[in-house]
Amino acid sequence: MTEREAGPRRALIEGLGARPGRGYGSKYNTCEKLCAVPASGCVVIGCATMRKVVLITGASSGVGLALCRRLLEEDHELHLCLACRNMSKAEAVRTALLASHPTAEVSTVQVDVSSLPSVFQASKELKQRFQRFDYVYLNAGIMPNPQLNIKALFCGLFSRKAIHIFSTAEGVLTQSEKITADGLQEVFATNVFGHFILIRELESLLCHSDSPSQLIWTSSRNAVKSNFNLEDIQHSKGQEPYSSSKYAIDLLSVALNRNFNQRGLYSSVACPGTVLTNLTYGIMPPFVWTLIMPIIWLFRFFANAFTLTPYNGTEALVWLFHQKPESLDPLVKYLSATTGFGSNYVTSKKIDLDEDTAEKFYQNLLELEKDIRVTIQKSKNQS
């Protein structure tokens, strides 16, 4: 990249509140005494360049898969650990990534973040195999049984909020969900609590004041404050659990920064925009998306949220990979954006929340974790 080409990107980075630091194309290597234990089982001892280790949940498809590919394009010597529910898909992805990036290291671990026993087991395995994680992408998520409110959609399309509604689905998208085996609401368990427990279990691999680690959450423009209730954090009484869960992620990220920055752990939230994946195809079938594509292309000139492809959707997630986490604003959400002509860039937006609510939510999660652990211990004692 020439200096002329780098100028606009550097200006954008500085405009988003981050110093250029680990810019595109640069490498960030740390001299450590121990590196992560690769899949082969070897350990590098002594003062040597350590591979950056990245854990990605939901890495076998959609935005997670595109993120894996893009990160290896940025740094082909990474160690990627794919945390996936379906191991056959995960192994197929691992094989493909190693074929295209033979100098990388790619490992897998099975985890279903909606199942706490699965999260505990995966955490145990990860602590046995790794000394630290430099980045954890908390990307896995679900939107079960989405139902489009056609009346609200058409009313919105002919209002002043048409572009906003079309790009965020605010007020037009509801879901019905079930209860997990752990007694939790499925969307809350998958999108929020399973990841929270994963972080809690991996604290010893994440908290290193000498070299910070970074949590990067996949949030959404659909994260709406009015859909979240501190008295009903699982959204058991509402009809928009996806929106509630994504707002909960925003709250949790702020609280994690407040409680863990001094220990070398930082958290950021990013939104991939409107991406056509299995999740969005659950809202409307592929042929409908194809039919309305001309409208979407037109809207692209007025709204930047229509990234459409998983590759485009990872723009903010990859951008965060290159930033010094301590230079980022914890109260800002970083958004992948695409122009009407198809160019990708990163923009930012202040999160609509207050830090006291974030802290209260964090304390609620700790209480729920405590109750869950007591229940699990009782079950073990009875068996």
Side-chain angles (χ1 to χ4, degrees):
M1 179 182 292
T2 66
E3 182 63 28
R4 182 178 180 181
E5 293 170 328
R9 176 161 279 171
R10 184 180 299 112
L12 171 62
I13 290 173
E14 292 170 346
L16 290 170
R19 297 187 294 273
R22 286 175 259 168
Y24 276 12
S26 66
K27 292 187 178 181
Y28 178 71
N29 297 317
T30 307
C31 184
E32 295 281 342
K33 292 185 177 180
L34 274 177
C35 78
V37 181
S40 61
C42 64
V43 182
V44 178
I45 307 235
C47 190
T49 299
M50 184 183 76
R51 291 177 185 263
K52 287 181 285 185
V53 184
V54 183
L55 176 68
I56 304 176
T57 67
S60 62
S61 63
V63 170
L65 175 56
L67 177 62
C68 291
R69 291 168 175 163
R70 289 199 64 178
L71 288 179
L72 289 181
E73 290 172 4
E74 298 294 323
D75 186 344
H76 60 274
E77 294 185 349
L78 286 177
H79 184 121
L80 290 186
C81 182
L82 317 180
C84 304
R85 181 176 56 183
N86 187 319
M87 288 306 288
S88 61
K89 286 185 178 180
E91 289 299 332
V93 169
R94 176 179 179 272
T95 300
L97 291 175
L98 287 174
S100 58
H101 300 87
T103 60
E105 289 180 352
V106 183
S107 60
T108 62
V109 64
Q110 185 171 25
V111 61
D112 177 356
V113 287
S114 71
S115 168
L116 295 182
S118 177
V119 174
F120 287 128
Q121 179 59 35
S123 301
K124 181 180 179 181
E125 291 181 24
L126 291 170
K127 284 185 284 189
Q128 291 172 346
R129 290 159 53 185
F130 294 95
Q131 294 294 320
R132 65 168 287 137
F133 285 113
D134 297 283
Y135 305 86
V136 177
Y137 282 91
L138 303 150
N139 169 72
I142 61 169
M143 183 195 292
N145 307 310
Q147 297 174 340
L148 199 60
N149 186 326
I150 301 298
K151 181 179 179 180
L153 176 62
F154 274 97
C155 289
L157 288 178
F158 294 99
S159 71
R160 294 180 179 179
K161 289 187 173 183
I163 294 176
H164 173 78
I165 290 173
F166 206 75
S167 55
T168 65
E170 183 178 340
V172 301
L173 197 60
T174 62
Q175 304 92 40
S176 58
E177 58 175 334
K178 60 184 180 181
I179 305 297
T180 69
D182 302 307
L184 303 172
Q185 296 293 132
E186 183 182 24
V187 175
F188 169 80
T190 306
N191 297 0
V192 185
F193 195 63
H195 283 127
F196 172 73
I197 294 298
L198 182 66
I199 295 167
R200 294 278 291 162
E201 288 292 299
L202 297 180
E203 274 186 30
S204 61
L205 277 65
L206 293 169
C207 296
H208 300 274
S209 57
D210 59 325
S211 179
S213 294
Q214 192 170 4
L215 305 174
I216 302 173
W217 299 81
T218 300
S219 183
S220 172
R221 286 173 172 83
N222 187 240
V224 180
K225 184 177 183 177
S226 60
N227 286 327
F228 178 83
N229 186 344
L230 202 55
E231 303 302 317
D232 181 24
I233 63 173
Q234 298 190 47
H235 203 73
S236 59
K237 300 175 183 177
Q239 292 185 308
E240 298 186 58
Y242 181 80
S243 175
S244 174
S245 72
K246 292 302 181 178
Y247 188 78
I249 284 173
D250 295 350
L251 290 171
L252 179 53
S253 180
V254 169
L256 288 170
N257 280 310
R258 190 172 181 176
N259 287 275
F260 285 91
N261 280 179
Q262 291 185 340
R263 297 173 60 188
L265 179 61
Y266 294 81
S267 181
S268 299
V269 288
C271 172
T274 302
V275 179
L276 299 183
T277 64
N278 290 334
L279 190 147
T280 45
Y281 288 145
I283 302 171
M284 296 186 295
F287 80 89
V288 176
W289 284 104
T290 302
L291 288 175
I292 66 173
M293 196 55 65
I295 300 175
I296 294 177
W297 284 109
L298 177 62
F299 277 4
R300 246 187 176 182
F301 286 94
F302 305 97
N304 57 21
F306 300 102
T307 51
L308 299 184
T309 69
Y311 180 95
N312 294 346
T314 62
E315 190 72 12
L317 298 166
V318 175
W319 182 84
L320 284 167
F321 173 78
H322 292 287
Q323 307 313 308
K324 291 183 178 180
E326 58 270 30
S327 72
L328 298 169
D329 187 341
L331 299 178
V332 160
K333 181 182 295 184
Y334 297 93
L335 313 172
S336 297
T338 304
T339 68
F341 296 102
S343 299
N344 297 323
Y345 65 102
V346 179
T347 185
S348 62
K349 180 181 179 181
K350 203 78 172 178
I351 305 174
D352 181 20
L353 55 73
D354 66 85
E355 295 187 58
D356 287 340
T357 301
E359 184 62 27
K360 288 176 183 177
F361 175 59
Y362 177 68
Q363 294 301 324
N364 286 350
L365 290 181
L366 291 176
E367 285 297 318
L368 181 57
E369 177 194 2
K370 181 180 177 181
D371 293 341
I372 290 288
R373 290 185 185 275
V374 169
T375 301
I376 291 175
Q377 189 59 49
K378 287 182 179 179
S379 299
K380 288 181 178 179
N381 294 338
Q382 291 175 356
S383 60

